Amino acid sequence: MSEAAHEELDLGGEVCPYTFVRAKLRLEELPLGAELHILVDHAPAAENVPRSLRAEGQEVVSITPERAPGGARWRIVTIKRAEPRLRKTPRT
Amino acid sequence: MALEIGVLVADPGMLERALDLVRNVDEAQLFLMDEGVRAAPAPRLVAAIDDGLDAALCAMDAEARGVTAAAGGPRFGSQWDHATMVRDAARVVAMTGGRIDDSDGATPGPGRRVAVRLTRDARDPKVAQALRAAVGYAAADLSVVVVVEPPARALLASDEHAPSLLRAIATLRGLGHRFVEVATSNHRVSCDIEVSW
């Protein structure tokens, strides 16, 4: 894995739909090409967050289980490849 | 191929009706959430999936109700699946346990306007589920308006609610979505899709 600097978003204790809402909000703040490590500790999020990221055009590099103080968690490494759309954009 | 119909089932008693709707449709999707996840093991649903139906359930609701993954059953998804179904299906039918909404005709895609109608007391668990779904819609680039009918009026009249409700309200408002109080259940708001809870 690249040793390049990356941002980290700890979503421990967070569940759907706030996992992907917060992931998108964080990606919104980052420049294209930035690497974001998202930490989740809810097993379904380890599958569903990457799926939603890919569907939005982001690159998901890896999903790795890790040991955490409270039990299992997963590190989702993603690279921002598209601008997320989250704020309300009324149809004209 | 475009998604022809998406059906939300939040009441297990509605499953049969939902399956009747998607029968013989080439591109159909079913999403189970809330109490609807209890219908996951239904043999007719498993048979429909075997025949090509795309069916998912809310993993969080399943976990809360002790519903586990079964061979051939719906996949464990998220509110993202629900929201993209509402965004992308030509016709959306919502069966949440109250009135049945059948929305057809609006062009699918981002920016589609979804009205989430709250028809119950603000403390009813279905209201929390409605707002959770609404947050998912917002995250999938839908334009959300939460329509508050008289039984749910306390939702906006007070700040004394469960943290999950307060968070959903703050999230929706923070993302620029609206809450509208209406005087009667007959009051319609301009929207493409309606989902009543």
Side-chain angles (χ1 to χ4, degrees):
Chain A
M1 188 187 299
S2 160
E3 292 299 321
H6 64 262
E7 299 284 332
E8 197 160 283
L9 175 65
D10 188 350
L11 296 179
E14 204 64 282
V15 292
C16 166
Y18 296 99
T19 42
F20 59 82
V21 169
R22 287 188 58 194
K24 284 183 76 170
L25 283 169
R26 190 71 188 95
L27 281 166
E28 204 175 53
E29 298 168 348
L30 299 176
L32 287 172
E35 185 173 303
L36 177 65
H37 292 206
I38 303 167
L39 304 174
V40 297
D41 61 3
H42 189 226
E47 288 186 20
N48 290 322
V49 169
R51 200 153 46 82
S52 65
L53 291 171
R54 287 192 183 104
E56 293 250 316
Q58 313 302 346
E59 180 181 347
V60 176
V61 178
S62 60
I63 306 157
T64 312
E66 294 182 346
R67 282 192 179 184
R73 77 175 179 190
W74 292 262
R75 179 177 296 267
I76 301 162
V77 176
T78 186
I79 297 175
K80 179 174 176 176
R81 298 296 186 200
E83 289 296 343
R85 288 181 300 192
L86 189 56
R87 316 276 166 189
K88 185 180 173 187
T89 50
R91 178 174 282 184
T92 53
Chain B
M1 198 182 290
L3 184 57
E4 294 172 62
I5 183 169
V7 186
L8 168 64
V9 177
D11 173 357
M14 286 288 137
L15 181 70
E16 292 295 323
R17 195 160 172 178
L19 291 173
D20 287 343
L21 280 172
V22 299
R23 190 172 51 197
N24 300 324
V25 177
D26 287 336
E27 291 294 324
Q29 194 174 336
L30 196 69
F31 188 80
L32 309 177
M33 69 173 286
D34 192 53
E35 289 298 304
V37 299
R38 297 191 192 279
R44 195 177 159 206
L45 174 58
V46 174
I49 293 168
D50 192 46
D51 282 345
L53 174 67
D54 180 8
L57 53 69
C58 173
M60 197 174 135
D61 288 345
E63 190 175 81
R65 289 162 180 78
V67 175
T68 53
R75 65 188 158 81
F76 274 47
S78 69
Q79 288 300 320
W80 173 260
D81 297 280
H82 173 191
T84 53
M85 178 185 84
V86 168
R87 186 186 67 194
D88 298 334
R91 178 184 175 195
V92 177
V93 180
M95 300 171 167
T96 65
R99 73 185 71 148
I100 295 174
D101 300 297
D102 191 339
S103 308
D104 202 353
T107 308
R112 199 177 213 187
R113 299 166 305 163
V114 184
V116 177
R117 292 188 83 93
L118 308 181
T119 69
R120 303 161 191 261
D121 187 284
R123 292 163 297 186
D124 189 306
K126 291 267 188 191
V127 169
Q129 292 285 47
L131 292 178
R132 196 163 70 88
V135 171
Y137 298 159
D141 203 19
L142 289 158
S143 179
V144 179
V145 56
V146 179
V147 181
V148 182
E149 291 193 0
R153 193 167 288 160
L155 186 73
L156 302 181
S158 155
D159 285 337
E160 293 179 5
H161 301 300
S164 61
L165 282 186
L166 295 173
R167 187 179 192 194
I169 293 168
T171 301
L172 288 165
R173 284 184 167 150
L175 295 174
H177 301 274
R178 289 187 306 137
F179 286 74
V180 176
E181 218 173 290
V182 294
T184 70
S185 59
N186 294 327
H187 186 108
R188 311 321 289 174
V189 297
S190 179
C191 65
D192 302 314
I193 304 289
E194 195 157 74
V195 181
S196 301
W197 288 84

